[in-house]
Amino acid sequence: MENDAGHEIAEALGVLLKRTTRARLYQGLTDGLGEGVDELTYPVLSGLARSGPRSAAELAPEIGLDRSGVTRRATRLEEAGLVRREPDPDDARASLLVLTSRGEETVDVLRERLAGHINAALSDWEPQEVAVFARQLREFVMRGPFRAADEDDGTR
Amino acid sequence: MENDAGHEIAEALGVLLKRTTRARLYQGLTDGLGEGVDELTYPVLSGLARSGPRSAAELAPEIGLDRSGVTRRATRLEEAGLVRREPDPDDARASLLVLTSRGEETVDVLRERLAGHINAALSDWEPQEVAVFARQLREFVMRGPFRAADEDDGTR
DNA sequence: ACCACAGCGTGCGCCGCGCACGCAAATCTG
DNA sequence: CAGATTTGCGTGCGCGGCGCACGCTGTGGT
C-alpha cells in the first residue's frame, strides 16, 4: 500500500525517534552552556520557561518522568545556577522551581539554536510550505496518537 | 517572534520527544504479541523488515546504538522466536539476523497498528492534507537537522 | 489537639547502555 | 604454506538514570 499516509508517517517517526534517542536533539546543542545543562535537563528548562514556576511533581507528567527524576534533574540545574528553589507561598511544604536569570538566558540560547538549525535545514523549502508544515506538525503532536497516558489537556 | 516556523517546529518536536520518551510509541502497541517484543526491540524488527537480513553491527548505527545493544535486543527477539541467527555464507564469523515467519507477521501487525492509530488521529484532516504532511515529515526527517553523527546517507 | 493526608527529597534495586576483552575466522606477508 | 595482523562477534564490567517506597515536614479537617 504505497499511498497510505499512515504508514509513511509511522515510518518517518520511527526513524526520527531512533535518531533522537541517540543524538538527542542536536549534536552539540548544549555546548558552551555550562556543566548543568544537557539533553536530559533541557526539558526541565523548557518546561519552566513555557509554564513559569512550577513544582517538580507538576512538571513530571509533562516531561514524562517520575517526580524523583524531575527532582534530580532540577537539582543538577540548581547546582549549575540555572534554577532556584523557592518555597511555595501558599504551601510551605511545596517548593517551586524557578528559572534564574542565567537559566532564562540559557533557554533562550537553546531555543534560538534549535530554531536556527531547523530553519537552516528547511532553507530550500517554500516559506509558506514551512509554515504549513509547522502548523500541521503542531496539530499532529497535540491531537495525535502520542498522548501520554496521564496527561492533562494542556488547558491551564 | 510569533510567525517563526523554526520555533514552532522546535516546540512541537520537544513535546513529541518528551512524550515518546515515556509512552514510547503508543500505549499498548505491543500488547498480545508475546514476551520478546516491546518498544526496545521494535526498532530491530523494523530495521530488519526494511533492509532484509543484516548483521548486528550493520544495524547498529541505523538504530542509534552500540553493537552490543543491538546484540542484546536481538538475543531477546531470538529467544522469543521472532529472529533467527544465520551464519553469513560469505563470512563464517559474521552472523546475520533474519526475521522468522513469526517475526514478519509481528512486524506487519505492529506496522498496521501504528498506521491505524495515526490515520485515526488524522481522520478529520483533508486526505490531501495528510498526504502533504506525510511527504513533508518524511523529507524533514531525512534531510532535517536530526541526522545521527555516524550515519550513512541511506542510499543502499 | 489530634490525626489522616499531601508533597517533597532520597536510598535502593533494576535495567539498558558503552567500553573493553577474548575468541574465532579471514586476510595479509614473507 | 605458516605466522602475524585485522575484522567481527558475543559477553563481563561499571556507570548512570529511572521508578518505587520510605521518612519527614507541613496541612486541613474533626
Side-chain angles (χ1 to χ4, degrees):
Chain A
M1 192 72 60
E2 185 57 41
N3 55 357
D4 187 349
H7 281 100
E8 190 173 355
I9 294 175
E11 187 76 11
L13 280 176
V15 176
L16 174 66
L17 295 182
K18 288 164 200 163
R19 284 187 187 155
T20 51
T21 298
R22 190 91 308 272
R24 292 282 175 137
L25 281 177
Y26 186 84
Q27 186 93 9
L29 179 69
T30 61
D31 285 1
L33 293 179
E35 280 297 323
V37 52
D38 57 7
E39 321 83 20
L40 289 182
T41 52
Y42 173 62
V44 178
L45 256 59
S46 173
L48 289 177
R50 191 184 319 134
S51 312
R54 302 177 73 179
S55 75
E58 207 172 357
L59 208 52
E62 184 176 329
I63 299 181
L65 239 63
D66 192 61
R67 299 189 314 274
S68 62
V70 180
T71 294
R72 294 180 215 280
R73 297 189 183 188
T75 301
R76 219 178 299 179
L77 289 171
E78 190 182 18
E79 291 169 353
L82 302 177
V83 159
R84 183 178 67 245
R85 286 179 201 267
E86 273 187 12
D88 189 329
D90 300 339
D91 191 336
R93 46 197 176 155
S95 70
L96 263 48
L97 301 174
V98 189
L99 287 177
T100 65
S101 55
R102 280 197 53 221
E104 298 204 19
E105 294 171 18
T106 302
V107 71
D108 282 345
V109 171
L110 285 170
R111 281 180 162 175
E112 213 61 41
R113 285 190 189 179
L114 260 178
H117 289 311
I118 290 172
N119 283 327
L122 270 45
S123 59
D124 56 346
W125 288 25
E126 293 292 331
Q128 51 177 324
E129 234 181 349
V130 177
V132 168
F133 178 63
R135 291 187 62 90
Q136 284 184 334
L137 179 61
R138 188 179 203 87
E139 180 78 8
F140 175 71
V141 170
M142 290 307 169
R143 307 191 38 207
F146 293 103
R147 312 204 45 146
D150 51 350
E151 186 176 1
D152 58 58
D153 55 10
T155 59
R156 188 150 303 279
Chain B
M1 190 75 61
E2 185 55 43
N3 53 357
D4 188 349
H7 282 99
E8 190 173 355
I9 294 175
E11 187 74 13
L13 280 177
V15 176
L16 174 66
L17 295 182
K18 288 163 199 163
R19 284 185 189 158
T20 51
T21 298
R22 191 91 305 273
R24 291 282 174 136
L25 281 176
Y26 186 82
Q27 186 91 10
L29 178 70
T30 61
D31 285 1
L33 294 179
E35 280 297 322
V37 52
D38 56 7
E39 321 83 20
L40 289 182
T41 52
Y42 173 62
V44 178
L45 257 59
S46 174
L48 289 177
R50 191 183 319 133
S51 312
R54 302 177 73 180
S55 75
E58 207 173 357
L59 208 53
E62 184 175 329
I63 300 181
L65 239 64
D66 192 62
R67 299 189 311 276
S68 62
V70 179
T71 294
R72 294 179 215 280
R73 296 189 183 187
T75 301
R76 219 178 298 179
L77 289 170
E78 192 182 17
E79 291 169 351
L82 303 178
V83 159
R84 182 178 68 246
R85 287 179 202 265
E86 273 188 11
D88 188 328
D90 299 338
D91 191 336
R93 50 200 173 150
S95 70
L96 263 49
L97 302 174
V98 190
L99 287 178
T100 65
S101 56
R102 279 198 53 221
E104 298 204 21
E105 294 171 18
T106 303
V107 70
D108 282 344
V109 170
L110 285 170
R111 281 180 162 174
E112 215 61 41
R113 284 191 190 177
L114 259 177
H117 289 313
I118 290 173
N119 283 326
L122 268 45
S123 60
D124 55 347
W125 288 25
E126 294 292 330
Q128 51 176 326
E129 233 180 349
V130 177
V132 168
F133 178 64
R135 292 186 63 90
Q136 285 184 333
L137 180 61
R138 188 179 204 89
E139 181 78 8
F140 176 72
V141 170
M142 290 308 167
R143 306 190 40 208
F146 293 105
R147 311 204 46 145
D150 52 349
E151 186 176 1
D152 59 60
D153 55 9
T155 60
R156 186 150 303 278

